[in-house]
Structures are given as structure tokens and as C-alpha cells.
Amino acid sequence: MAVSRLAELVTALESDLLDFMRRHRVSHDEYRAATDLIIDSIKKGEESLLFDVFFEAQATDTSNIGRQGSPEAIEGPFYFEGAPLLSSPAVMPQRPDEPGDILFFKGHVSDAQGNAVAEMEIDLWHADAEGLYSQIHPGIPHFNLRGRFHTNDQGDFEVKTILPPPYEIPKSGPTGYVLGQLGRHYFRPAHLHMKLRHPKHHEMTSQLYFSGGEYLETDVANAVREGLIGELVHVTDTAEIARRGLCKPFYIYRYDFEMPA
């Protein structure tokens, strides 16, 4: 961020906050309670969660104004760099007995002119069947359900993983306290996180949802947007199950990305 932009934003924020305090007659006790909440969120490692729940979606909406191609989405607080690079056919790192329904996430990546983008890196992460994330919740192997893979020469990709459920965000800390005081629930709809990277394109952050899923209209992070929802197909055909080398029904979710110019 340029120094001039930083000065502009901080000056405006200071002015707006002071005006807010005057209009609402914020007392010193209330001011101290607010600062204590922020300090507590830092001590408990929730500073990103606290701000992401209330503000990140608006920042993303602003970035999407005038944007061509697929919309960006919030990153959320649970991303970690360095996920394993997967070989083809891509299978997300997981425990041998990983619970959950099998999901094949597939799609196509093109540029603004409709040309396929080969060798696009897709960095995918999501919750397990209990709504928990590796590196965040205890007892889960490092980088479980976190992996990177690439599109092929035709710009296509497919990865085998498990279907994540809706889940509650952590609610025992400062973020949960605020939401509880506001009378709001703690749930996020089921979703997949990803970052797309390529030397010739700006990095894109996305988060995809499943049509018909719970909490799409009441996401605690207010992050669901129409262009991020796709159809989840339940495959029960025995021939297709056998062709995939499976012994039970599975799901397919497809989303095609268009990179902005």
C-alpha cells in the first residue's frame, strides 16, 4: 500500500470513528471494553476471524466492482501456505479412513478471451466432515485436506476430496462473544476455498458454495454471492461408480473460472 493511500485511509478512519463516538456518546468504559475485546482477540489468535466475519466480504465486494470474469471471494482466516503439490490424478491429502462423502471437484480455467489456461495452480483447502480444519483444530494431520494441483493443457482440472459440511466458526472466544451478544448464529454454509496462481495472471482468491445448501442466505460472514454458487450432483449410477473405481455413490461439483484481463 502506498504511503499516500495509507495516510488517506487512516485519516478518514480516525475522522469517522471520532464522529461515531460523538454521535453515539461512547463512554470511556465502552471505549475500553472495545479495545479490550480487540486485544483479547489478538491474544487468542482470533484477530483475523473477528475482522473477517464482520468486514472482509465488504472489502471483497469493493474489489469486485468493475471486475471482469469470475468474482473473487473472501479468503477467511484459515489459509496456510505450503500445501503439498499433488500429482495427477489429484487426490487431496487425507487420513486413510477420512470420513465424509467422496467429492470430485472439477472445472475449466480460461482467460478473458476464452482461451484455456494451462498450468494454472489451484491451491485448495476446506474443512473435514466435522467442519474442522488442519493447522487450526487439534488432532488433525498437518495439511489434511489442503493441496495444490494444476490445470492440464486444455485448462481442465479435477481433484478427488470429500464433501465439506456447514460448520460453526469458533464461538468460545471474542468473536463468538460478540455474535452471541448480537443474537446471531455462528454457522457458515458448506464451501471450498481456493487460490488460483499463474505467472501471466493476477492471483485470484475464491470460495465456492453448493446450491440448496444450508445457511446460504444467513452466512455468519455474509460472504455468499450468486456468482460463487454451483450445482452439486449426486451420482448414484452403478456403472459410473464402477468406472470411477468406487463402491458407493459420490458427488461431482463443477465450476469454470474466467480469469480477468
Side-chain angles (χ1 to χ4, degrees):
M1 182 187 298
V3 174
S4 59
R5 177 63 170 166
L6 176 63
E8 175 190 356
L9 293 177
V10 171
T11 301
L13 179 62
E14 178 186 28
S15 176
D16 289 348
L17 285 177
L18 289 173
D19 183 57
F20 171 87
M21 293 174 71
R22 285 189 290 267
R23 284 188 290 110
H24 293 278
R25 303 181 67 180
V26 176
S27 69
H28 190 271
D29 286 345
E30 291 168 333
Y31 161 77
R32 185 55 66 195
T35 57
D36 285 348
L37 179 75
I38 294 173
I39 292 170
D40 192 34
S41 74
I42 296 171
K43 289 180 178 178
K44 295 179 178 176
E46 276 198 14
E47 65 275 18
S48 182
L49 178 65
L50 178 64
F51 283 90
D52 288 353
V53 163
F54 290 98
F55 304 117
E56 188 181 8
Q58 178 56 57
T60 304
D61 285 346
T62 300
S63 296
N64 278 328
I65 294 174
R67 177 187 176 88
Q68 302 298 313
S70 300
E72 285 208 290
I74 67 170
E75 178 181 304
F78 299 151
Y79 173 69
F80 286 86
E81 294 182 349
L85 185 60
L86 311 178
S87 57
S88 182
V91 179
M92 289 289 276
Q94 55 193 270
R95 293 160 284 196
D97 57 347
E98 189 71 42
D101 293 319
I102 295 171
L103 171 69
F104 289 94
F105 171 42
K106 62 189 299 183
H108 179 79
V109 182
S110 62
D111 62 19
Q113 289 73 45
N115 302 308
V117 181
E119 291 300 312
M120 173 68 73
E121 180 183 277
I122 301 175
D123 191 344
L124 178 69
W125 73 101
H126 63 81
D128 68 11
E130 295 183 358
L132 306 178
Y133 285 83
S134 59
Q135 273 96 309
I136 298 296
H137 299 94
I140 303 175
H142 213 50
F143 285 113
N144 196 65
L145 299 176
R146 298 176 184 268
R148 295 177 294 131
F149 49 93
H150 291 89
T151 57
N152 62 18
D153 291 343
Q154 291 75 47
D156 299 322
F157 68 88
E158 180 175 284
V159 61
K160 180 183 178 184
T161 186
I162 62 104
L163 181 65
Y167 63 82
E168 283 188 312
I169 65 169
K171 61 182 182 181
S172 61
T175 308
Y177 170 78
V178 174
L179 291 170
Q181 293 299 303
L182 294 173
R184 300 181 188 178
H185 70 71
Y186 308 97
F187 277 91
R188 297 226 57 220
H191 58 275
L192 302 170
H193 296 268
M194 68 233 44
K195 289 179 176 289
L196 282 72
R197 303 187 186 96
H198 192 279
K200 296 183 179 180
H201 296 273
H202 291 294
E203 180 175 295
M204 175 192 292
T205 299
S206 189
Q207 187 170 143
L208 303 177
Y209 306 89
F210 311 120
S211 60
E214 292 183 277
Y215 306 107
L216 290 176
E217 303 294 332
T218 60
D219 175 20
V220 66
N222 189 32
V224 180
R225 301 294 182 267
E226 184 177 348
L228 302 172
I229 303 173
E231 182 181 3
L232 186 65
V233 178
H234 192 204
V235 179
T236 58
D237 179 71
T238 54
E240 183 62 17
I241 292 171
R243 188 185 72 81
R244 291 272 188 174
L246 303 175
C247 58
K248 63 179 182 178
F250 61 93
Y251 289 88
I252 292 177
Y253 180 79
R254 182 183 180 98
Y255 189 90
D256 296 335
F257 294 93
E258 180 186 326
M259 304 301 292

